[in-house]
Amino acid sequence: MNEIQQLDQKTYFQTYKRLPITLSHGKGSRIWDTEGKEYIDMLAGIAVNSLGHAHPALVHAVKNQVEKLIHVSNFYTTVPQVRLAEKLTRLSGLDRVFLCSSGLEAIEGAFKTARKHANSKGKNGPIISLEGCFHGRSIAGIASGKEQYQQGFEPMPGGFLQIPLNSKEAIDEHVNDQTTAVIVEPIQGEGGIRLVDPDFLRYVREKCTKHGTTLIFDEIQTGIGRTGAMFASELVGVKPDMVTIAKGLGGGVPVGAILATEELAMTLKPGDHGTTFGGNSLASAAALSVLQTIERDDLCRKAGEKGKVFLKELNDKLSGHPLVKDIRGMGLMVGVELTIEGASVMQKMAEYGVLVNVASVHVIRFVPPLIVSTEDLSTAVDVLKSVLDEHNTDSA
Ligand SMILES: Cc1ncc(COP(=O)(O)O)c(C=O)c1O
């Protein structure tokens, strides 16, 4: 353990199981630690560094904005904030935007918006989420999420109900004229890269429309090009009423957003909701440059294509491996489900120079920068295969 890691253990909240790696700088999809060791970054800060590290467009936008204006109160408009909002409405087809600083905050604001809207229609039924979901670590986020994350933080607030994934029967049973909202991740990220059935999503859309229930897509992980489209909702052909985004939007600069229909957005009146940092000039300029670069360089389409090549190579080299249960994903959001726990595999891969993480205990998660090269994707497959082969030999 180096000096920084020792200091971390003494001073930081011990809420993360960290690897003994202290990172120093990055370029593209490569990152280096303080010892000078180079890694392929297949995690991208958990689907955050969409343009990789030190992308010239993002560096330029941030430097330029820092010299002009970092932050003002939301009592005033700024050019980057409003330009970003306008761009997000155009990209999403939704009418209005509320900018914030993280995924958790986007979820919290979306829940408040859905509740105020439901209350105004005389409804007080639950916000329904799907088993295996993850909507962040606020109290409302964990109340809608896995029981495991609720433990020790009781009592949970009321007004949340979790139903089985992909079950039309459960939707029939629980979505009615009183239901406030249904919240869905088109692909569950923390839940282990689990794809939600598009047919189920279309069914949920129909039911929500019928009952005047708000349909929220949590695209905090799937959004901003990750799955091969700007929003995963485009790929499943479902238009939600509200979308939450964060992660890849700022390319590493903390920024999130709620996107909503006119009707939903306008139920919040002055004073109903707010944030000090949300959509400040620096974060907005960063997010604008990320979106411009994604559009200019056609990164959504390229992420979709690279994802197909990556999945094929994973399948060619690993399907049928005794330690591999399933390989799945969309675009550059890919999971390899193992028959063993993933922690030791993740650790060994880091030793061999590839950074990944584990979602839902058994799934090795790959969410690299959108600009990752096919060579780096290929190396990551080979490293995973070597680690699994070694593990298999050791335990034989
Ligand atoms: C789908 C989804 N929703 C919400 C969140 C919470 O975002 P944040 O960690 O920025 O609060 C995450 C984070 O992993 C996520 O993947």
Side-chain angles (χ1 to χ4, degrees), residues 314-393:
L314 280 167
N315 271 298
D316 287 350
K317 293 190 175 159
L318 285 170
S319 69
H321 193 285
L323 298 182
V324 174
K325 196 166 163 197
D326 192 23
I327 299 166
R328 54 185 180 250
M330 210 188 266
L332 290 173
M333 182 170 180
V334 171
V336 176
E337 183 171 351
L338 306 177
T339 56
I340 53 169
E341 293 195 359
S344 62
V345 174
M346 168 187 70
Q347 208 160 337
K348 247 311 172 270
M349 286 180 77
E351 279 171 37
Y352 290 165
V354 175
L355 299 183
V356 292
N357 90 328
V358 178
S360 211
V361 186
H362 295 97
V363 181
I364 302 295
R365 168 166 47 183
F366 297 93
V367 279
L370 305 184
I371 51 88
V372 69
S373 65
T374 43
E375 290 75 25
D376 279 359
L377 291 171
S378 207
T379 306
V381 177
D382 290 340
V383 166
L384 174 60
K385 183 170 176 350
S386 305
V387 170
L388 292 178
D389 286 347
E390 272 173 35
H391 198 288
N392 208 25
T393 316

